Amino acid sequence: MKAIRLPCYCGSLRQASRVVTQLYDQKLKPSGITITQFGILKLLAACPGLSTGSLAEALAMDSTTLTRTLKIIQENGWIAVTTGDDRRKRCWSITPTGRQHLEQAEPLWKSAQQEFARLAHDVDLDSLTRTVFLLVQKVGE
């Protein structure tokens, strides 16, 4: 059965998110990194030492889901955790191994970007990403 147009804003966005995630995950598969893991590694490469809460907020991600994903990435040796000024606070940094995996995944991610741009050639992707970010800011307030 082909996808159908849903009459629900949330359902439509989730439907789009699933197919785009599948495209990126498929392209990234040779690296062993999912698009969610890739995003976390990119963020930690740019902003080392972020707390779990700060990561969840920056990614607009549920902290329970994020914690599960962080555990997998940590078990792979791609990130390391330290305690913050408060012993309950966990701060994350990318490891050299994680940086290496990120660098290996980068060309695959670029290929996914190009494939998505090709498939969405008739969509103003800059406008789309601005609009989606605006929605994240407004709804996430």
Side-chain angles (χ1 to χ4, degrees):
M1 174 186 231
K2 287 211 173 241
I4 60 171
R5 184 174 177 184
L6 302 174
C8 169
Y9 302 132
C10 180
S12 293
L13 286 169
R14 289 176 56 86
Q15 185 181 45
S17 176
R18 282 190 294 273
V19 298
V20 173
T21 297
Q22 289 167 8
L23 183 147
Y24 277 76
D25 280 348
Q26 187 61 38
K27 289 284 188 181
L28 287 168
K29 194 172 192 162
S31 72
I33 295 175
T34 67
I35 191 60
T36 302
Q37 295 167 343
F38 182 86
I40 292 168
L41 292 174
K42 284 291 275 187
L43 183 56
L44 288 175
C47 306
L50 289 176
S51 68
T52 305
S54 295
L55 275 168
E57 188 176 331
L59 297 168
M61 210 171 164
D62 172 74
S63 61
T64 303
T65 304
L66 176 61
T67 299
R68 277 195 305 268
T69 305
L70 289 171
K71 182 177 182 207
I72 292 166
I73 301 172
Q74 182 184 23
E75 287 171 355
N76 287 334
W78 301 341
I79 58 173
V81 64
T82 57
T83 53
D85 40 344
D86 175 346
R87 291 180 50 173
R88 294 170 295 177
K89 187 175 181 182
R90 300 167 59 89
C91 299
W92 300 91
S93 296
I94 189 168
T95 64
T97 302
R99 199 171 293 279
Q100 183 180 15
H101 274 81
L102 184 59
E103 288 171 8
Q104 291 171 347
E106 192 87 28
L108 300 171
W109 172 81
K110 286 180 182 175
S111 174
Q113 288 278 95
Q114 292 167 347
E115 177 70 9
F116 183 75
R118 185 188 67 75
L119 291 169
H121 65 88
D122 55 346
V123 175
D124 181 347
L125 293 176
D126 288 334
S127 177
L128 175 66
T129 55
R130 277 192 311 273
T131 301
V132 169
F133 182 65
L134 181 63
L135 286 170
V136 168
Q137 289 181 311
K138 285 185 175 198
V139 175
E141 290 178 338

